[in-house]
Amino acid sequence: MERKRIDVRDNRIEDSIAIRLAIFYLVFMSILSVWYFLNLSAVYIGGILLFTAFGYIFSYLRRRKNNVILKIFMTIGMLYLLRQFFVELIKNPFDPRLPLGVFLINLNTLHSLLDLPTRLDLSFSFFISLILMVISGIFARESLFIVFILFYLLGFVITLFLLNNYKPSFSRVAISFFIVLLIGFLLFPILPKNIHIGFRQDIMSQLITRITNIQGELSSPYSMQNTNLYKLPEGRKIPPLPFDKEEYYGFAPFVDLRQRGMLSSTLVFRVLTSWEVYHRGIAFDTYNGFGWYQSEEEIKDVTTMSQPFLLKNNPPPESMLNRATYFIEKDIPSNIVFLPHNSQRLYFPSPLIFIDGEEGYRAPFDLPKGLIYTSFYKDIYPLAKDLLNAKIPDKYKFRRYLQLPNLPRRIYDLTFEITKSYEKPWDKLMAIKKYLERYEYSLNIPPLPDDMDAVDDFLFVTKKGYCEQFASAFAVMARIIGIPSRFITGYGPGDLNPWTGMFEVKVKNAHAWVEVYLEPVGWIPIDPTPFTPLIEERDKSLSVNLLSVLFASMGKVIEGLFVLLYKITLEYRYVVFALSILFIIWFFQYLMDRIRLIQEDRIFRRVIKKLKKKGLIKDNISLYEMMRPLGEDGIKFAGLYYALKFAPLSEEEKRNYLNEMKDYAKKILSNLSARSQKKI
């Protein structure tokens, strides 16, 4: 007789300790995963796991009791948990997942303590564990989630076997686990992770209303050391501040181009967005020969009674904008709010932010680890014809973006020589950009001489430099030909992690570029840095040998392939998502059908498949007629199969009949390959 499927109407008492242990394992792994990725209290989770383990033992021992009084208490407890869920949901209406995760953990713990007598009740815990894994997966922003998934999938496969009354052997569990793992490994990295499903998840973290001393001024480690002195004429005599590899010197009131050093690989934040974008921090309008600063401190308050902040007048609706959600991964000792260029709307967990005179945004506090905020921005670059037809604006209106110190004459001569063949402003800018591509991008450059202009040294002496040197040269040369420009610091796009769908931005991704102003287009970002070094600088502390280089190269190729596939699927995200869901449903249905097959069915199907392939039997006739051409062995094989399927046999008779069926199967396939006989 056929094995039973999972039946929600099955209210019989469950005596199987194996099923209870398997489901407890799933609950245990899902709670651990939620604890790690939701940053819940270790004391709280420890108590939850302890009560859950006790609950499974207690429920098993009292599985045949009515437990009426306990169920009344459980109902009261569930109502209280539901109330707490709505209270937490009201506190943070933009992200219901954390309250939902805590609610399900508490609910499952209460349920395990008082009400796990039947398979239906255990299946309820099984599905809660699945939901908790989904919640932790949404919160997960690092590849470590794969480890939790691996351990969970192992228990998941075993539980499916047990719930379908199939005794799992090691080989079948291993094969099923490997197939699920392989498909997941190949499919998951290329699935688009930013499907919009009608609610705004992770829009921002909980509102921060604490009082600080920051009133819009720039807060950073470099701003605390009298960097304003560098703006003075005698500032050149003051040596540069000590270099800090964990903090970019461009996020300061004064960007000192004399700084030298390599930044660290510490992760700063992750960004969930569809495309690579630059993360704009600060804009500077004044160049003094060895650095950049803002000539005017114009700080304005921006307040809102309800989110979001409207950064532009009459911004388009969110459905017409791209979204970038920032997840701060370290305590940032700065109040700079990094945003994509042309951000229109901002969800930020504060009732107040500040804006400076160069459209840079600042928080009323330093950004703490765990902070989440979201920008909705326009990702529309001007059309080529608009750029070619753009004009230089009124010089008086933009005079501070044309300011220059006393520069060596050869910088002017070089700029005019590069642009003399072009008439249109945009063509001139592109000619300068193309010329700068001749220079080498390098993190190993000599110190700037005391009496040397930074741009002059870069163009004529060193001829290599950081992004700061490229951006400074481009901004200065744009001003020489009369085009307003400003120097921008922020972060580059970072590296796309196809497992999470997020761009990981590190300290070393700090970057500098330029914005130029042309009418009627407005401010246009341009990155003049040839930021594609062919060989990455390696950590000299690591040994390099043939195998390490080989495996590193293979890893880069595989990672690049997954990133490419991920970007392609982003173009057809909804089609890919729908097809993936259909494939997963089909695959699990196929897997469940295979699991539900009992041993005699497997033997019968394999024999019939082999015989049909050889053309030894025909379709569309009864089983006995089908097997008759095979003689007595075929008839006996069919009879044994029918007996095992439909006859009321004892366990001893079943074993004997099954062994006979195997013998006849081997006889029938005696003329086929030895491999087929071995499978029987």
Side-chain angles (χ1 to χ4, degrees):
M1 58 188 134
E2 294 187 5
R3 301 193 181 274
K4 294 185 180 294
R5 303 184 177 204
I6 302 176
D7 187 357
V8 297
R9 297 167 299 177
D10 188 357
N11 291 318
R12 293 174 298 174
I13 300 299
E14 181 57 65
D15 293 317
S16 172
I17 296 178
I19 289 179
R20 290 177 180 271
L21 287 175
I23 293 179
F24 173 74
Y25 171 81
L26 292 180
V27 170
F28 179 84
M29 288 306 306
S30 63
I31 291 176
L32 277 185
S33 182
V34 170
W35 162 70
Y36 183 84
F37 292 108
L38 273 66
N39 293 319
L40 299 179
S41 165
V43 175
Y44 164 71
I45 290 298
I48 287 292
L49 292 176
L50 184 63
F51 276 110
T52 302
F54 173 77
Y56 271 73
I57 297 172
F58 182 78
S59 294
Y60 176 75
L61 296 176
R62 295 188 59 87
R63 65 191 184 279
R64 298 190 181 279
K65 309 286 185 182
N66 287 328
N67 300 320
V68 176
I69 302 298
L70 292 178
K71 288 183 179 180
I72 292 175
F73 281 111
M74 184 183 73
T75 303
I76 296 173
M78 286 182 175
L79 291 174
Y80 174 76
L81 293 178
L82 187 62
R83 173 190 174 277
Q84 289 300 110
F85 167 69
F86 284 111
V87 168
E88 295 299 322
L89 193 60
I90 292 171
K91 290 181 181 179
N92 187 16
F94 293 103
D95 190 3
R97 297 166 307 153
L98 181 58
L100 178 61
V102 173
F103 171 69
L104 289 176
I105 289 175
N106 293 335
L107 183 64
N108 185 69
T109 303
L110 186 64
H111 179 65
S112 65
L113 277 169
L114 306 174
D115 194 24
L116 286 180
T118 68
R119 179 168 296 194
L120 174 62
D121 299 313
L122 289 166
S123 298
F124 176 76
S125 294
F126 170 73
F127 287 115
I128 282 185
S129 74
L130 194 58
I131 295 171
L132 289 176
M133 287 302 295
V134 170
I135 291 175
S136 62
I138 296 173
F139 266 89
R141 301 192 292 272
E142 50 192 289
S143 300
L144 184 62
F145 181 64
I146 299 171
V147 177
F148 288 94
I149 278 290
L150 290 179
F151 281 100
Y152 184 84
L153 281 178
L154 180 61
F156 185 81
V157 171
I158 293 174
T159 304
L160 286 182
F161 275 95
L162 293 172
L163 288 176
N164 284 276
N165 299 322
Y166 184 83
K167 186 177 181 181
S169 65
F170 175 79
S171 60
R172 297 203 179 278
V173 170
I175 292 172
S176 301
F177 177 68
F178 177 77
I179 292 173
V180 172
L181 187 62
L182 180 63
I183 292 175
F185 178 80
L186 295 176
L187 188 63
F188 182 77
I190 65 173
L191 285 178
K193 313 300 189 303
N194 54 349
I195 300 293
H196 299 292
I197 317 179
F199 66 92
R200 298 174 301 192
Q201 58 174 1
D202 259 348
I203 202 79
M204 70 177 194
S205 49
Q206 194 164 356
L207 201 67
I208 298 175
T209 57
R210 66 171 180 262
I211 299 175
T212 67
N213 294 324
I214 299 175
Q215 298 298 320
E217 70 277 8
L218 181 61
S219 169
S220 81
Y222 288 98
S223 68
M224 301 174 185
Q225 305 185 45
N226 296 322
T227 50
N228 286 325
L229 295 177
Y230 292 114
K231 303 176 185 179
L232 303 176
E234 58 272 18
R236 187 67 182 258
K237 299 178 182 179
I238 305 173
L241 296 173
F243 179 80
D244 183 355
K245 68 177 183 178
E246 296 296 334
E247 303 296 337
Y248 176 48
Y249 58 88
F251 303 145
F254 182 81
V255 182
D256 195 334
L257 297 178
R258 298 173 297 173
Q259 287 280 4
R260 300 291 186 267
M262 293 181 62
L263 296 170
S264 75
S265 297
T266 303
L267 183 65
V268 181
F269 53 79
R270 291 183 170 92
V271 187
L272 180 62
T273 188
S274 301
W275 319 109
E276 293 181 343
V277 294
Y278 283 58
H279 311 288
R280 190 180 188 274
I282 317 175
F284 302 89
D285 63 338
T286 304
Y287 174 67
N288 68 354
F290 69 101
W292 290 87
Y293 61 91
Q294 291 185 356
S295 60
E296 300 178 10
E297 288 287 337
E298 301 175 357
I299 305 299
K300 297 179 181 178
D301 296 355
V302 182
T303 60
T304 183
M305 296 300 294
S306 61
Q307 300 286 338
F309 291 93
L310 302 182
L311 307 183
K312 305 292 183 183
N313 294 327
N314 300 316
E318 293 173 10
S319 59
M320 298 178 62
L321 300 171
N322 287 310
R323 169 180 162 172
T325 298
Y326 292 77
F327 302 87
I328 306 302
E329 300 294 351
K330 61 170 288 219
D331 289 327
I332 301 177
S334 173
N335 64 335
I336 301 171
V337 180
F338 297 96
L339 297 172
H341 176 73
N342 214 357
S343 290
Q344 305 285 312
R345 296 168 177 263
L346 173 65
Y347 288 85
F348 192 83
S350 170
L352 168 70
I353 58 173
F354 304 97
I355 180 173
D356 63 26
E358 305 298 338
E359 301 174 275
Y361 294 91
R362 303 171 189 176
F365 46 78
D366 292 345
L367 306 189
K369 180 180 179 180
L371 185 78
I372 302 171
Y373 64 91
T374 296
S375 164
F376 285 88
Y377 65 97
K378 282 185 179 180
D379 189 26
I380 302 176
Y381 202 75
L383 298 176
K385 66 176 183 178
D386 294 333
L387 294 173
L388 291 174
N389 294 327
K391 306 296 182 182
I392 296 176
D394 177 53
K395 292 184 178 181
Y396 179 79
K397 183 179 179 181
F398 288 87
R399 62 185 181 277
R400 64 175 171 156
Y401 301 107
L402 295 169
Q403 165 275 339
L404 286 171
N406 293 324
L407 298 174
R409 184 63 201 176
R410 59 183 178 178
I411 299 179
Y412 288 88
D413 294 340
L414 176 62
T415 303
F416 293 138
E417 179 66 25
I418 294 170
T419 60
K420 68 180 181 181
S421 301
Y422 304 93
E423 294 183 2
K424 296 184 177 181
W426 184 254
D427 286 336
K428 292 183 178 184
L429 290 170
M430 291 301 99
I432 295 172
K433 184 176 185 295
K434 185 176 181 180
Y435 179 82
L436 292 178
E437 291 175 358
R438 303 179 183 182
Y439 291 77
E440 178 187 353
Y441 176 86
S442 175
L443 298 178
N444 184 21
I445 57 176
L448 178 66
D450 291 338
D451 58 346
M452 198 84 175
D453 180 90
V455 172
D456 185 60
D457 176 70
F458 169 68
L459 290 175
F460 298 102
V461 181
T462 307
K463 296 185 178 181
K464 60 181 180 180
Y466 304 170
C467 56
E468 292 81 9
Q469 280 74 37
F470 282 91
S472 295
F474 186 89
V476 167
M477 296 170 90
R479 292 183 176 192
I480 288 175
I481 59 175
I483 299 176
S485 65
R486 56 189 181 189
F487 181 88
I488 311 296
T489 59
Y491 285 101
D495 301 314
L496 175 63
N497 184 339
W499 291 99
T500 62
M502 295 185 182
F503 290 90
E504 297 180 347
V505 180
K506 302 174 182 177
V507 176
K508 67 180 182 180
N509 295 127
H511 194 43
W513 61 96
V514 179
E515 289 178 356
V516 297
Y517 193 94
L518 294 174
E519 289 184 343
V521 179
W523 287 106
I524 308 166
I526 299 177
D527 187 359
T529 305
F531 203 63
T532 52
L534 297 178
I535 302 175
E536 293 186 357
E537 298 196 32
R538 300 178 182 273
D539 187 344
K540 295 180 180 179
S541 65
L542 299 177
S543 61
V544 179
N545 54 55
L546 180 61
L547 284 178
S548 66
V549 172
L550 177 63
F551 282 114
S553 301
M554 291 174 59
K556 286 291 181 184
V557 171
I558 295 173
E559 180 184 2
L561 178 62
F562 277 131
V563 170
L564 176 62
L565 290 174
Y566 180 77
K567 289 180 178 179
I568 292 174
T569 58
L570 277 177
E571 293 290 335
Y572 309 98
R573 66 189 75 176
Y574 293 102
V575 175
V576 172
F577 185 73
L579 291 176
S580 301
I581 293 295
L582 291 175
F583 173 79
I584 292 171
I585 293 173
W586 170 83
F587 173 73
F588 274 101
Q589 184 62 47
Y590 171 80
L591 182 63
M592 293 302 299
D593 289 341
R594 295 287 298 174
I595 290 174
R596 291 181 184 124
L597 287 178
I598 54 180
Q599 195 168 5
E600 55 266 27
D601 288 329
R602 296 176 190 276
I603 296 172
F604 178 77
R605 286 193 178 189
R606 192 169 291 129
V607 169
I608 296 299
K609 181 179 179 181
K610 291 290 183 181
L611 293 174
K612 285 183 178 179
K613 188 175 181 180
K614 294 293 183 179
L616 299 177
I617 57 177
K618 298 179 180 179
D619 285 324
N620 303 322
I621 55 178
S622 69
L623 179 59
Y624 280 108
E625 291 297 323
M626 183 187 301
M627 305 300 288
R628 193 177 300 280
L630 301 177
E632 188 67 22
D633 290 342
I635 299 297
K636 288 286 185 66
F637 177 80
L640 289 167
Y641 176 69
Y642 273 137
L644 286 166
K645 290 289 289 182
F646 304 113
L649 304 175
S650 65
E651 291 299 322
E652 182 66 26
E653 289 173 324
K654 285 182 181 179
R655 283 195 294 270
N656 293 335
Y657 277 40
L658 187 59
N659 290 331
E660 285 187 57
M661 184 180 176
K662 290 180 182 179
D663 292 337
Y664 279 109
K666 290 179 180 180
K667 288 181 182 180
I668 292 171
L669 299 178
S670 60
N671 294 326
L672 301 179
S673 66
R675 184 181 176 187
S676 297
Q677 297 181 39
K678 186 177 181 181
K679 282 187 177 180
I680 298 299

